[in-house]
């Protein structure tokens, strides 16, 4: 825990206070937004890799289904053919999970910062080059108390998460119609699960975010907006690359 605190909590805490000190009027909400953008720009390459991997996996889904159907009775050969398919299309099915795992410690550390860190008694954890503020002003943007929960922000974050998931699902390539009943059932089941997750995840965001400090929900909201923009950029670039490959 001490190692995680030194690697994640203290840098984020000191970074937040450092930004807070330099902002005219000392607005903690703006400091959180700037810190969020800094984190997302640092993680931009990994997140782009994750989005590209998800898109590439969607593009080759028909071929994956074909391999699964052709080698349904030979799981070992099926695994070999799938690995060959991934290698051929330069797709890593596990790369989409890496950014999520990396972001989790950031989220936990930020939760600790907003829950216990931004108090007058916590300034002992500041680095020597970070000025200690006389006090923390929790009122941000002139109306929002960063230290208290904000149901409106929780709903906003959930709505943005729904939009992001819907955007990803609508980018899927259409699958060819199946001629097998079992495969058709699998496709229908997968589609149903995806649609359910599109609604369940935002609901969970509201449930979890309803009682969290609004500072964390500001991070969550800004981070989701950043993800939507990044997703759009990656999708557009991917479409151009595909069009160039087809024309050549």
């Amino acid at each position: 825990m001490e190692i995680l605190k030194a690697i994640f909590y203290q840098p984020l805490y000191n970074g937040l206070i450092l930004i807070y000190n330099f902002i005219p009027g000392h607005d903690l909400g703006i400091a959180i937004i700037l810190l969020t953008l800094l984190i997302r720009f640092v993680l931009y390459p990994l997140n782009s890799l994750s989005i590209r991997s998800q898109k590439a996996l969607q593009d080759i889904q028909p071929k994956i289904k074909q391999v699964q159907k052709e080698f349904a009775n030979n799981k070992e050969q099926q695994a070999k053919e799938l690995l060959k398919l991934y290698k051929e299309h330069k797709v890593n099915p596990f790369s989409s999970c890496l950014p999520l795992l990396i972001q989790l410690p950031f989220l936990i550390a930020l939760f600790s910062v907003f829950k216990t860190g931004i108090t007058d008694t916590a300034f002992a954890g500041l680095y020597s080059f970070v000025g200690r503020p006389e006090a923390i002003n929790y009122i941000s943007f002139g109306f929002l108390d960063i230290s208290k929960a904000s149901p409106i922000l929780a709903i906003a974050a959930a709505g943005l998460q729904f939009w992001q998931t819907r955007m990803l699902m609508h980018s899927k390539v259409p699958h060819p119609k199946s001629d097998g009943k079992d495969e058709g059932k699998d496709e229908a089941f997968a589609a149903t699960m995806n649609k359910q997750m599109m609604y369940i995840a935002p609901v969970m965001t509201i449930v979890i975010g309803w009682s969290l400090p609004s500072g964390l929900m500001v991070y969550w909201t800004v981070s989701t907006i950043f993800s939507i923009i990044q997703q759009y950029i990656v999708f557009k670039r991917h479409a151009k690359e595909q069009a160039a490959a087809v024309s050549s």
Side-chain angles (χ1 to χ4, degrees):
M1 290 301 295
E2 288 300 319
I3 294 174
L4 290 176
K5 183 178 179 180
I7 294 175
F8 293 101
Y9 173 83
Q10 283 190 301
L12 290 177
Y13 169 59
N14 279 271
L16 180 64
I17 299 300
L18 184 63
I19 296 171
Y20 176 81
N21 287 337
F22 278 96
I23 292 175
H26 300 299
D27 193 307
L28 189 58
I30 295 176
I32 292 171
I33 291 174
L34 293 176
L35 180 65
T36 303
L37 293 176
L38 178 61
I39 293 171
R40 293 313 304 255
F41 275 116
V42 170
L43 297 177
Y44 191 94
L46 280 174
N47 287 319
S48 291
L49 178 63
S50 171
I51 296 169
R52 289 179 69 88
S53 294
Q54 291 178 37
K55 188 68 177 70
L57 276 172
Q58 290 174 6
D59 291 344
I60 65 171
Q61 275 301 309
K63 293 182 179 180
I64 292 174
K65 291 294 180 183
Q66 175 115 24
V67 170
Q68 290 173 338
K69 182 180 178 182
E70 186 176 346
F71 299 98
N73 298 322
N74 189 342
K75 296 299 181 183
E76 185 178 348
Q77 187 60 33
Q78 182 187 109
K80 289 180 180 178
E81 293 296 326
L82 285 174
L83 286 173
K84 187 193 220 177
L85 183 65
Y86 294 146
K87 187 175 181 181
E88 179 186 345
H89 291 272
K90 299 179 181 178
V91 173
N92 185 349
F94 302 107
S95 62
S96 60
C97 302
L98 182 60
L100 296 176
L101 294 175
I102 292 176
Q103 287 187 61
L104 188 58
F106 284 97
L107 194 62
I108 295 172
L110 282 168
F111 174 78
S112 299
V113 169
F114 299 141
K115 194 73 176 175
T116 61
I118 47 177
T119 61
D120 297 343
T121 59
F123 293 143
L126 290 176
Y127 298 145
S128 59
F129 59 85
V130 178
R132 175 173 176 167
E134 295 181 4
I136 293 291
N137 178 19
Y138 295 107
I139 304 301
S140 298
F141 317 118
F143 65 91
L144 180 66
D145 189 340
I146 290 293
S147 65
K148 296 180 180 178
S150 172
I152 294 176
L153 267 179
I155 293 171
L160 288 166
Q161 188 175 14
F162 173 81
W163 184 11
Q164 181 190 2
T165 308
R166 188 171 182 271
M167 179 183 173
L168 183 62
M169 287 183 62
H170 279 217
S171 72
K172 292 182 178 180
V173 294
H175 292 180
K177 291 185 179 179
S178 169
D179 56 357
K181 292 182 180 179
D182 291 337
E183 191 178 354
K185 288 180 182 178
D186 290 342
E187 292 287 344
F189 178 76
T192 301
M193 286 297 294
N194 286 333
K195 284 184 179 179
Q196 287 179 349
M197 284 306 299
M198 187 168 67
Y199 294 99
I200 291 173
V203 170
M204 290 301 296
T205 298
I206 293 176
V207 172
I208 295 171
W210 198 269
S211 58
L212 289 176
S214 58
L216 191 62
M217 297 314 298
V218 169
Y219 167 81
W220 202 324
T221 301
V222 174
S223 184
T224 305
I225 293 172
F226 191 98
S227 293
I228 290 171
I229 296 171
Q230 185 176 5
Q231 206 165 263
Y232 176 78
I233 293 171
V234 172
F235 285 168
K236 291 288 286 184
R237 190 174 299 165
H238 183 79
K240 286 182 180 179
E241 288 173 358
Q242 280 193 321
V246 170
S247 62
S248 59

